[in-house]
Amino acid sequence: MYMMENYILGPVIIPNKKILRAPNSKVDDYHYVLFSSKTIKNIREKFHNDKMDNKININHKGELLKDVFLTKSFILDKVNIKTIHDEFKVLPLGTWMIEYRVDNQEVWQMIKDKKINGLSIEGIFDYEEI
């Protein structure tokens, strides 16, 4: 995650990267999930269509934060990867990137103290075996 002034930028979903998930109603054990570039694009579109842009919480706890605002959302492609901050140039094309402006001083302090160190989205997803 990249920080500058009161902005944070980072990947939300990286294509084909395994993500550890806890047991749930569909899978009885700890397991990994991954998303293709096409699926990531569809998730991003649904996220924005459902107006989830500023429904933000910490660690999926449900309590919505105030004064944190989505400023950018884009999929890495051959053009924009050339202009992105160097630490992200190693990410695969198809990665979903998000930037937030953090005006909430308590949250900004947590980010500076590395108590918050990444970005994620919430969702209910169907499982498809590969």
Side-chain angles (χ1 to χ4, degrees), residues 87-128:
E87 71 183 272
F88 299 123
K89 289 183 179 180
V90 298
L91 292 171
L93 300 181
T95 296
W96 179 13
M97 302 292 293
I98 283 189
E99 179 185 82
Y100 285 99
R101 186 182 81 230
V102 182
D103 293 339
N104 182 315
Q105 291 307 305
E106 182 181 340
V107 172
W108 186 248
Q109 191 60 51
M110 291 172 72
I111 293 167
K112 287 176 23 180
D113 293 342
K114 299 187 190 290
K115 293 179 181 173
I116 298 173
N117 58 9
L119 301 169
S120 178
I121 64 158
E122 290 181 325
I124 298 172
F125 300 94
D126 288 331
Y127 281 70
E128 180 180 308

mmCIF file of all heavy atoms in Angstrom, residues 87-128:
data_model
loop_
_atom_site.group_PDB
_atom_site.id
_atom_site.type_symbol
_atom_site.label_atom_id
_atom_site.label_comp_id
_atom_site.label_asym_id
_atom_site.label_seq_id
_atom_site.Cartn_x
_atom_site.Cartn_y
_atom_site.Cartn_z
ATOM 1 N N GLU A 87 6.472 0.587 -6.986
ATOM 2 C CA GLU A 87 6.243 -0.636 -6.217
ATOM 3 C C GLU A 87 5.117 -1.484 -6.796
ATOM 4 O O GLU A 87 5.029 -2.679 -6.507
ATOM 5 C CB GLU A 87 5.975 -0.323 -4.749
ATOM 6 C CG GLU A 87 4.637 0.331 -4.477
ATOM 7 C CD GLU A 87 4.455 0.699 -3.012
ATOM 8 O OE1 GLU A 87 3.977 -0.147 -2.250
ATOM 9 O OE2 GLU A 87 4.810 1.839 -2.645
ATOM 10 N N PHE A 88 4.269 -0.916 -7.642
ATOM 11 C CA PHE A 88 3.144 -1.656 -8.208
ATOM 12 C C PHE A 88 3.423 -2.172 -9.618
ATOM 13 O O PHE A 88 2.613 -2.921 -10.162
ATOM 14 C CB PHE A 88 1.885 -0.794 -8.215
ATOM 15 C CG PHE A 88 1.463 -0.359 -6.843
ATOM 16 C CD1 PHE A 88 1.327 0.984 -6.545
ATOM 17 C CD2 PHE A 88 1.236 -1.278 -5.835
ATOM 18 C CE1 PHE A 88 0.945 1.402 -5.280
ATOM 19 C CE2 PHE A 88 0.857 -0.872 -4.561
ATOM 20 C CZ PHE A 88 0.711 0.475 -4.287
ATOM 21 N N LYS A 89 4.529 -1.804 -10.211
ATOM 22 C CA LYS A 89 4.833 -2.212 -11.581
ATOM 23 C C LYS A 89 5.083 -3.714 -11.698
ATOM 24 O O LYS A 89 5.064 -4.249 -12.801
ATOM 25 C CB LYS A 89 6.008 -1.413 -12.125
ATOM 26 C CG LYS A 89 5.616 0.030 -12.388
ATOM 27 C CD LYS A 89 6.718 0.841 -12.994
ATOM 28 C CE LYS A 89 6.185 2.250 -13.238
ATOM 29 N NZ LYS A 89 7.165 3.128 -13.819
ATOM 30 N N VAL A 90 5.288 -4.386 -10.586
ATOM 31 C CA VAL A 90 5.502 -5.838 -10.604
ATOM 32 C C VAL A 90 4.183 -6.609 -10.583
ATOM 33 O O VAL A 90 4.168 -7.823 -10.772
ATOM 34 C CB VAL A 90 6.378 -6.298 -9.410
ATOM 35 C CG1 VAL A 90 7.750 -5.664 -9.487
ATOM 36 C CG2 VAL A 90 5.708 -5.987 -8.083
ATOM 37 N N LEU A 91 3.073 -5.912 -10.355
ATOM 38 C CA LEU A 91 1.774 -6.577 -10.294
ATOM 39 C C LEU A 91 1.329 -6.989 -11.696
ATOM 40 O O LEU A 91 1.637 -6.316 -12.680
ATOM 41 C CB LEU A 91 0.731 -5.651 -9.677
ATOM 42 C CG LEU A 91 0.923 -5.328 -8.202
ATOM 43 C CD1 LEU A 91 -0.048 -4.232 -7.761
ATOM 44 C CD2 LEU A 91 0.747 -6.566 -7.349
ATOM 45 N N PRO A 92 0.585 -8.075 -11.802
ATOM 46 C CA PRO A 92 0.121 -8.509 -13.125
ATOM 47 C C PRO A 92 -0.965 -7.592 -13.678
ATOM 48 O O PRO A 92 -1.716 -6.968 -12.924
ATOM 49 C CB PRO A 92 -0.427 -9.916 -12.866
ATOM 50 C CG PRO A 92 -0.754 -9.963 -11.422
ATOM 51 C CD PRO A 92 0.208 -9.019 -10.736
ATOM 52 N N LEU A 93 -1.018 -7.530 -14.993
ATOM 53 C CA LEU A 93 -2.114 -6.806 -15.638
ATOM 54 C C LEU A 93 -3.418 -7.465 -15.189
ATOM 55 O O LEU A 93 -3.477 -8.668 -14.968
ATOM 56 C CB LEU A 93 -1.972 -6.864 -17.158
ATOM 57 C CG LEU A 93 -0.695 -6.257 -17.727
ATOM 58 C CD1 LEU A 93 -0.688 -6.351 -19.242
ATOM 59 C CD2 LEU A 93 -0.494 -4.822 -17.272
ATOM 60 N N GLY A 94 -4.454 -6.657 -15.036
ATOM 61 C CA GLY A 94 -5.728 -7.176 -14.560
ATOM 62 C C GLY A 94 -5.932 -6.971 -13.068
ATOM 63 O O GLY A 94 -7.009 -7.253 -12.545
ATOM 64 N N THR A 95 -4.903 -6.477 -12.362
ATOM 65 C CA THR A 95 -5.031 -6.191 -10.931
ATOM 66 C C THR A 95 -5.944 -4.981 -10.750
ATOM 67 O O THR A 95 -5.829 -3.984 -11.456
ATOM 68 C CB THR A 95 -3.646 -5.887 -10.317
ATOM 69 O OG1 THR A 95 -2.825 -7.051 -10.416
ATOM 70 C CG2 THR A 95 -3.754 -5.470 -8.860
ATOM 71 N N TRP A 96 -6.843 -5.082 -9.782
ATOM 72 C CA TRP A 96 -7.744 -3.968 -9.459
ATOM 73 C C TRP A 96 -7.073 -3.112 -8.399
ATOM 74 O O TRP A 96 -6.731 -3.584 -7.322
ATOM 75 C CB TRP A 96 -9.078 -4.505 -8.971
ATOM 76 C CG TRP A 96 -10.098 -3.477 -8.580
ATOM 77 C CD1 TRP A 96 -10.078 -2.131 -8.836
ATOM 78 C CD2 TRP A 96 -11.302 -3.709 -7.859
ATOM 79 N NE1 TRP A 96 -11.196 -1.523 -8.318
ATOM 80 C CE2 TRP A 96 -11.977 -2.482 -7.707
ATOM 81 C CE3 TRP A 96 -11.883 -4.849 -7.306
ATOM 82 C CZ2 TRP A 96 -13.178 -2.357 -7.043
ATOM 83 C CZ3 TRP A 96 -13.085 -4.724 -6.653
ATOM 84 C CH2 TRP A 96 -13.732 -3.489 -6.529
ATOM 85 N N MET A 97 -6.884 -1.831 -8.711
ATOM 86 C CA MET A 97 -6.257 -0.868 -7.812
ATOM 87 C C MET A 97 -7.312 0.119 -7.321
ATOM 88 O O MET A 97 -8.215 0.487 -8.066
ATOM 89 C CB MET A 97 -5.159 -0.091 -8.545
ATOM 90 C CG MET A 97 -4.061 -0.947 -9.140
ATOM 91 S SD MET A 97 -3.024 -1.748 -7.914
ATOM 92 C CE MET A 97 -2.210 -0.327 -7.193
ATOM 93 N N ILE A 98 -7.171 0.531 -6.056
ATOM 94 C CA ILE A 98 -8.084 1.517 -5.472
ATOM 95 C C ILE A 98 -7.267 2.556 -4.705
ATOM 96 O O ILE A 98 -6.270 2.223 -4.072
ATOM 97 C CB ILE A 98 -9.114 0.851 -4.532
ATOM 98 C CG1 ILE A 98 -10.208 0.171 -5.348
ATOM 99 C CG2 ILE A 98 -9.738 1.848 -3.581
ATOM 100 C CD1 ILE A 98 -11.375 -0.336 -4.548
ATOM 101 N N GLU A 99 -7.727 3.802 -4.794
ATOM 102 C CA GLU A 99 -7.142 4.887 -4.010
ATOM 103 C C GLU A 99 -8.254 5.514 -3.171
ATOM 104 O O GLU A 99 -9.363 5.721 -3.655
ATOM 105 C CB GLU A 99 -6.544 5.946 -4.921
ATOM 106 C CG GLU A 99 -5.939 7.120 -4.145
ATOM 107 C CD GLU A 99 -5.460 8.219 -5.058
ATOM 108 O OE1 GLU A 99 -6.318 9.043 -5.474
ATOM 109 O OE2 GLU A 99 -4.258 8.255 -5.351
ATOM 110 N N TYR A 100 -7.923 5.800 -1.905
ATOM 111 C CA TYR A 100 -8.849 6.478 -1.001
ATOM 112 C C TYR A 100 -8.195 7.727 -0.435
ATOM 113 O O TYR A 100 -6.994 7.735 -0.163
ATOM 114 C CB TYR A 100 -9.241 5.576 0.180
ATOM 115 C CG TYR A 100 -10.209 4.490 -0.179
ATOM 116 C CD1 TYR A 100 -9.781 3.195 -0.414
ATOM 117 C CD2 TYR A 100 -11.579 4.753 -0.272
ATOM 118 C CE1 TYR A 100 -10.670 2.187 -0.735
ATOM 119 C CE2 TYR A 100 -12.477 3.752 -0.596
ATOM 120 C CZ TYR A 100 -12.020 2.472 -0.826
ATOM 121 O OH TYR A 100 -12.907 1.482 -1.150
ATOM 122 N N ARG A 101 -9.011 8.759 -0.258
ATOM 123 C CA ARG A 101 -8.600 9.930 0.522
ATOM 124 C C ARG A 101 -9.103 9.691 1.937
ATOM 125 O O ARG A 101 -10.281 9.415 2.153
ATOM 126 C CB ARG A 101 -9.202 11.211 -0.051
ATOM 127 C CG ARG A 101 -8.662 12.462 0.662
ATOM 128 C CD ARG A 101 -9.285 13.734 0.155
ATOM 129 N NE ARG A 101 -10.584 13.902 0.789
ATOM 130 C CZ ARG A 101 -11.717 14.170 0.149
ATOM 131 N NH1 ARG A 101 -11.740 14.296 -1.157
ATOM 132 N NH2 ARG A 101 -12.846 14.299 0.814
ATOM 133 N N VAL A 102 -8.192 9.792 2.904
ATOM 134 C CA VAL A 102 -8.527 9.503 4.296
ATOM 135 C C VAL A 102 -8.492 10.812 5.078
ATOM 136 O O VAL A 102 -7.429 11.307 5.435
ATOM 137 C CB VAL A 102 -7.543 8.467 4.900
ATOM 138 C CG1 VAL A 102 -7.934 8.136 6.331
ATOM 139 C CG2 VAL A 102 -7.488 7.206 4.046
ATOM 140 N N ASP A 103 -9.678 11.360 5.333
ATOM 141 C CA ASP A 103 -9.790 12.573 6.143
ATOM 142 C C ASP A 103 -10.051 12.242 7.607
ATOM 143 O O ASP A 103 -9.988 13.129 8.456
ATOM 144 C CB ASP A 103 -10.924 13.462 5.614
ATOM 145 C CG ASP A 103 -10.619 14.024 4.237
ATOM 146 O OD1 ASP A 103 -9.435 14.078 3.850
ATOM 147 O OD2 ASP A 103 -11.576 14.409 3.533
ATOM 148 N N ASN A 104 -10.343 11.004 7.904
ATOM 149 C CA ASN A 104 -10.572 10.537 9.267
ATOM 150 C C ASN A 104 -9.205 10.373 9.948
ATOM 151 O O ASN A 104 -8.428 9.477 9.597
ATOM 152 C CB ASN A 104 -11.327 9.207 9.208
ATOM 153 C CG ASN A 104 -11.665 8.643 10.554
ATOM 154 O OD1 ASN A 104 -10.837 8.624 11.459
ATOM 155 N ND2 ASN A 104 -12.883 8.131 10.677
ATOM 156 N N GLN A 105 -8.891 11.249 10.890
ATOM 157 C CA GLN A 105 -7.558 11.273 11.504
ATOM 158 C C GLN A 105 -7.243 10.010 12.298
ATOM 159 O O GLN A 105 -6.097 9.566 12.346
ATOM 160 C CB GLN A 105 -7.390 12.523 12.366
ATOM 161 C CG GLN A 105 -7.327 13.803 11.548
ATOM 162 C CD GLN A 105 -6.274 13.741 10.452
ATOM 163 O OE1 GLN A 105 -5.111 13.467 10.716
ATOM 164 N NE2 GLN A 105 -6.681 13.966 9.214
ATOM 165 N N GLU A 106 -8.239 9.417 12.923
ATOM 166 C CA GLU A 106 -8.023 8.171 13.672
ATOM 167 C C GLU A 106 -7.616 7.041 12.711
ATOM 168 O O GLU A 106 -6.669 6.298 12.979
ATOM 169 C CB GLU A 106 -9.292 7.797 14.434
ATOM 170 C CG GLU A 106 -9.152 6.545 15.272
ATOM 171 C CD GLU A 106 -10.439 6.191 16.007
ATOM 172 O OE1 GLU A 106 -11.306 7.062 16.189
ATOM 173 O OE2 GLU A 106 -10.549 5.021 16.402
ATOM 174 N N VAL A 107 -8.302 6.951 11.605
ATOM 175 C CA VAL A 107 -7.979 5.928 10.600
ATOM 176 C C VAL A 107 -6.620 6.216 9.985
ATOM 177 O O VAL A 107 -5.798 5.310 9.802
ATOM 178 C CB VAL A 107 -9.079 5.849 9.524
ATOM 179 C CG1 VAL A 107 -8.671 4.929 8.382
ATOM 180 C CG2 VAL A 107 -10.395 5.394 10.145
ATOM 181 N N TRP A 108 -6.336 7.489 9.686
ATOM 182 C CA TRP A 108 -5.038 7.836 9.098
ATOM 183 C C TRP A 108 -3.892 7.454 10.048
ATOM 184 O O TRP A 108 -2.879 6.929 9.614
ATOM 185 C CB TRP A 108 -4.987 9.310 8.741
ATOM 186 C CG TRP A 108 -3.719 9.646 8.017
ATOM 187 C CD1 TRP A 108 -2.695 10.420 8.472
ATOM 188 C CD2 TRP A 108 -3.317 9.183 6.730
ATOM 189 N NE1 TRP A 108 -1.687 10.473 7.546
ATOM 190 C CE2 TRP A 108 -2.039 9.713 6.461
ATOM 191 C CE3 TRP A 108 -3.907 8.356 5.776
ATOM 192 C CZ2 TRP A 108 -1.348 9.455 5.282
ATOM 193 C CZ3 TRP A 108 -3.216 8.108 4.596
ATOM 194 C CH2 TRP A 108 -1.959 8.646 4.362
ATOM 195 N N GLN A 109 -4.091 7.667 11.322
ATOM 196 C CA GLN A 109 -3.060 7.293 12.294
ATOM 197 C C GLN A 109 -2.862 5.775 12.316
ATOM 198 O O GLN A 109 -1.741 5.295 12.410
ATOM 199 C CB GLN A 109 -3.410 7.804 13.695
ATOM 200 C CG GLN A 109 -2.271 7.671 14.690
ATOM 201 C CD GLN A 109 -1.037 8.453 14.263
ATOM 202 O OE1 GLN A 109 -1.101 9.622 13.940
ATOM 203 N NE2 GLN A 109 0.124 7.791 14.260
ATOM 204 N N MET A 110 -3.952 5.018 12.206
ATOM 205 C CA MET A 110 -3.842 3.561 12.159
ATOM 206 C C MET A 110 -3.056 3.113 10.930
ATOM 207 O O MET A 110 -2.258 2.179 11.005
ATOM 208 C CB MET A 110 -5.237 2.916 12.159
ATOM 209 C CG MET A 110 -5.972 3.078 13.469
ATOM 210 S SD MET A 110 -7.684 2.505 13.366
ATOM 211 C CE MET A 110 -7.441 0.743 13.303
ATOM 212 N N ILE A 111 -3.255 3.801 9.817
ATOM 213 C CA ILE A 111 -2.502 3.481 8.600
ATOM 214 C C ILE A 111 -1.028 3.804 8.802
ATOM 215 O O ILE A 111 -0.149 2.989 8.494
ATOM 216 C CB ILE A 111 -3.084 4.245 7.391
ATOM 217 C CG1 ILE A 111 -4.488 3.725 7.075
ATOM 218 C CG2 ILE A 111 -2.164 4.136 6.180
ATOM 219 C CD1 ILE A 111 -5.279 4.598 6.125
ATOM 220 N N LYS A 112 -0.733 4.978 9.345
ATOM 221 C CA LYS A 112 0.663 5.364 9.595
ATOM 222 C C LYS A 112 1.348 4.410 10.573
ATOM 223 O O LYS A 112 2.529 4.115 10.432
ATOM 224 C CB LYS A 112 0.725 6.804 10.112
ATOM 225 C CG LYS A 112 0.435 7.812 9.021
ATOM 226 C CD LYS A 112 0.378 9.264 9.436
ATOM 227 C CE LYS A 112 1.073 9.690 10.648
ATOM 228 N NZ LYS A 112 0.939 11.128 10.951
ATOM 229 N N ASP A 113 0.589 3.913 11.560
ATOM 230 C CA ASP A 113 1.132 2.972 12.548
ATOM 231 C C ASP A 113 1.155 1.536 12.047
ATOM 232 O O ASP A 113 1.486 0.619 12.807
ATOM 233 C CB ASP A 113 0.310 3.039 13.843
ATOM 234 C CG ASP A 113 0.449 4.367 14.559
ATOM 235 O OD1 ASP A 113 1.407 5.122 14.279
ATOM 236 O OD2 ASP A 113 -0.428 4.657 15.408
ATOM 237 N N LYS A 114 0.757 1.337 10.780
ATOM 238 C CA LYS A 114 0.727 0.022 10.136
ATOM 239 C C LYS A 114 -0.238 -0.955 10.811
ATOM 240 O O LYS A 114 -0.065 -2.164 10.746
ATOM 241 C CB LYS A 114 2.124 -0.565 10.011
ATOM 242 C CG LYS A 114 3.042 0.297 9.162
ATOM 243 C CD LYS A 114 4.356 -0.369 8.904
ATOM 244 C CE LYS A 114 5.351 0.524 8.279
ATOM 245 N NZ LYS A 114 5.280 0.970 7.009
ATOM 246 N N LYS A 115 -1.250 -0.424 11.476
ATOM 247 C CA LYS A 115 -2.322 -1.256 12.011
ATOM 248 C C LYS A 115 -3.310 -1.610 10.905
ATOM 249 O O LYS A 115 -4.071 -2.557 11.030
ATOM 250 C CB LYS A 115 -3.028 -0.548 13.165
ATOM 251 C CG LYS A 115 -2.121 -0.384 14.375
ATOM 252 C CD LYS A 115 -2.811 0.337 15.500
ATOM 253 C CE LYS A 115 -1.848 0.486 16.678
ATOM 254 N NZ LYS A 115 -2.406 1.326 17.727
ATOM 255 N N ILE A 116 -3.294 -0.819 9.843
ATOM 256 C CA ILE A 116 -4.017 -1.114 8.609
ATOM 257 C C ILE A 116 -2.948 -1.155 7.531
ATOM 258 O O ILE A 116 -2.221 -0.186 7.339
ATOM 259 C CB ILE A 116 -5.060 -0.024 8.287
ATOM 260 C CG1 ILE A 116 -6.116 0.046 9.387
ATOM 261 C CG2 ILE A 116 -5.698 -0.289 6.928
ATOM 262 C CD1 ILE A 116 -7.090 1.207 9.219
ATOM 263 N N ASN A 117 -2.848 -2.272 6.828
ATOM 264 C CA ASN A 117 -1.750 -2.388 5.873
ATOM 265 C C ASN A 117 -2.161 -2.946 4.515
ATOM 266 O O ASN A 117 -1.335 -3.420 3.756
ATOM 267 C CB ASN A 117 -0.620 -3.230 6.463
ATOM 268 C CG ASN A 117 -1.081 -4.612 6.845
ATOM 269 O OD1 ASN A 117 -2.188 -5.011 6.532
ATOM 270 N ND2 ASN A 117 -0.236 -5.343 7.533
ATOM 271 N N GLY A 118 -3.455 -2.913 4.221
ATOM 272 C CA GLY A 118 -3.895 -3.403 2.927
ATOM 273 C C GLY A 118 -5.339 -3.034 2.668
ATOM 274 O O GLY A 118 -6.024 -2.489 3.533
ATOM 275 N N LEU A 119 -5.780 -3.327 1.462
ATOM 276 C CA LEU A 119 -7.147 -3.033 1.047
ATOM 277 C C LEU A 119 -7.828 -4.330 0.646
ATOM 278 O O LEU A 119 -7.180 -5.256 0.157
ATOM 279 C CB LEU A 119 -7.132 -2.068 -0.140
ATOM 280 C CG LEU A 119 -6.457 -0.724 0.113
ATOM 281 C CD1 LEU A 119 -6.271 0.030 -1.202
ATOM 282 C CD2 LEU A 119 -7.273 0.099 1.078
ATOM 283 N N SER A 120 -9.120 -4.378 0.844
ATOM 284 C CA SER A 120 -9.892 -5.570 0.528
ATOM 285 C C SER A 120 -11.317 -5.147 0.224
ATOM 286 O O SER A 120 -11.722 -4.039 0.547
ATOM 287 C CB SER A 120 -9.860 -6.516 1.737
ATOM 288 O OG SER A 120 -10.628 -7.674 1.493
ATOM 289 N N ILE A 121 -12.071 -6.030 -0.405
ATOM 290 C CA ILE A 121 -13.495 -5.781 -0.583
ATOM 291 C C ILE A 121 -14.259 -6.923 0.055
ATOM 292 O O ILE A 121 -13.721 -8.013 0.258
ATOM 293 C CB ILE A 121 -13.899 -5.631 -2.065
ATOM 294 C CG1 ILE A 121 -13.646 -6.925 -2.820
ATOM 295 C CG2 ILE A 121 -13.221 -4.464 -2.703
ATOM 296 C CD1 ILE A 121 -14.472 -7.035 -4.065
ATOM 297 N N GLU A 122 -15.505 -6.640 0.371
ATOM 298 C CA GLU A 122 -16.387 -7.676 0.905
ATOM 299 C C GLU A 122 -17.324 -8.131 -0.200
ATOM 300 O O GLU A 122 -17.713 -7.341 -1.052
ATOM 301 C CB GLU A 122 -17.226 -7.123 2.061
ATOM 302 C CG GLU A 122 -16.434 -6.833 3.289
ATOM 303 C CD GLU A 122 -17.297 -6.306 4.424
ATOM 304 O OE1 GLU A 122 -18.265 -5.573 4.163
ATOM 305 O OE2 GLU A 122 -16.973 -6.636 5.565
ATOM 306 N N GLY A 123 -17.687 -9.382 -0.142
ATOM 307 C CA GLY A 123 -18.648 -9.876 -1.113
ATOM 308 C C GLY A 123 -19.051 -11.300 -0.804
ATOM 309 O O GLY A 123 -18.370 -12.004 -0.059
ATOM 310 N N ILE A 124 -20.143 -11.693 -1.387
ATOM 311 C CA ILE A 124 -20.591 -13.074 -1.313
ATOM 312 C C ILE A 124 -20.383 -13.633 -2.713
ATOM 313 O O ILE A 124 -20.956 -13.119 -3.690
ATOM 314 C CB ILE A 124 -22.064 -13.164 -0.885
ATOM 315 C CG1 ILE A 124 -22.213 -12.574 0.513
ATOM 316 C CG2 ILE A 124 -22.541 -14.610 -0.931
ATOM 317 C CD1 ILE A 124 -23.632 -12.416 0.978
ATOM 318 N N PHE A 125 -19.562 -14.641 -2.817
ATOM 319 C CA PHE A 125 -19.156 -15.156 -4.104
ATOM 320 C C PHE A 125 -19.537 -16.622 -4.251
ATOM 321 O O PHE A 125 -19.491 -17.376 -3.277
ATOM 322 C CB PHE A 125 -17.641 -15.011 -4.289
ATOM 323 C CG PHE A 125 -17.168 -13.589 -4.213
ATOM 324 C CD1 PHE A 125 -16.706 -13.053 -3.025
ATOM 325 C CD2 PHE A 125 -17.201 -12.778 -5.333
ATOM 326 C CE1 PHE A 125 -16.281 -11.734 -2.948
ATOM 327 C CE2 PHE A 125 -16.783 -11.460 -5.271
ATOM 328 C CZ PHE A 125 -16.316 -10.937 -4.073
ATOM 329 N N ASP A 126 -19.894 -17.002 -5.467
ATOM 330 C CA ASP A 126 -20.105 -18.416 -5.761
ATOM 331 C C ASP A 126 -18.749 -19.081 -5.936
ATOM 332 O O ASP A 126 -17.771 -18.426 -6.309
ATOM 333 C CB ASP A 126 -20.915 -18.571 -7.056
ATOM 334 C CG ASP A 126 -22.363 -18.173 -6.870
ATOM 335 O OD1 ASP A 126 -22.892 -18.305 -5.746
ATOM 336 O OD2 ASP A 126 -22.973 -17.729 -7.867
ATOM 337 N N TYR A 127 -18.709 -20.350 -5.677
ATOM 338 C CA TYR A 127 -17.470 -21.122 -5.830
ATOM 339 C C TYR A 127 -17.547 -21.940 -7.102
ATOM 340 O O TYR A 127 -18.568 -22.529 -7.429
ATOM 341 C CB TYR A 127 -17.284 -22.069 -4.643
ATOM 342 C CG TYR A 127 -16.763 -21.402 -3.402
ATOM 343 C CD1 TYR A 127 -17.543 -20.521 -2.669
ATOM 344 C CD2 TYR A 127 -15.469 -21.644 -2.962
ATOM 345 C CE1 TYR A 127 -17.058 -19.905 -1.527
ATOM 346 C CE2 TYR A 127 -14.974 -21.041 -1.834
ATOM 347 C CZ TYR A 127 -15.778 -20.174 -1.118
ATOM 348 O OH TYR A 127 -15.277 -19.570 0.012
ATOM 349 N N GLU A 128 -16.429 -21.943 -7.835
ATOM 350 C CA GLU A 128 -16.316 -22.762 -9.023
ATOM 351 C C GLU A 128 -15.014 -23.529 -8.912
ATOM 352 O O GLU A 128 -13.944 -22.925 -8.718
ATOM 353 C CB GLU A 128 -16.298 -21.859 -10.259
ATOM 354 C CG GLU A 128 -16.187 -22.605 -11.558
ATOM 355 C CD GLU A 128 -16.175 -21.644 -12.741
ATOM 356 O OE1 GLU A 128 -17.076 -20.801 -12.823
ATOM 357 O OE2 GLU A 128 -15.238 -21.753 -13.549
#
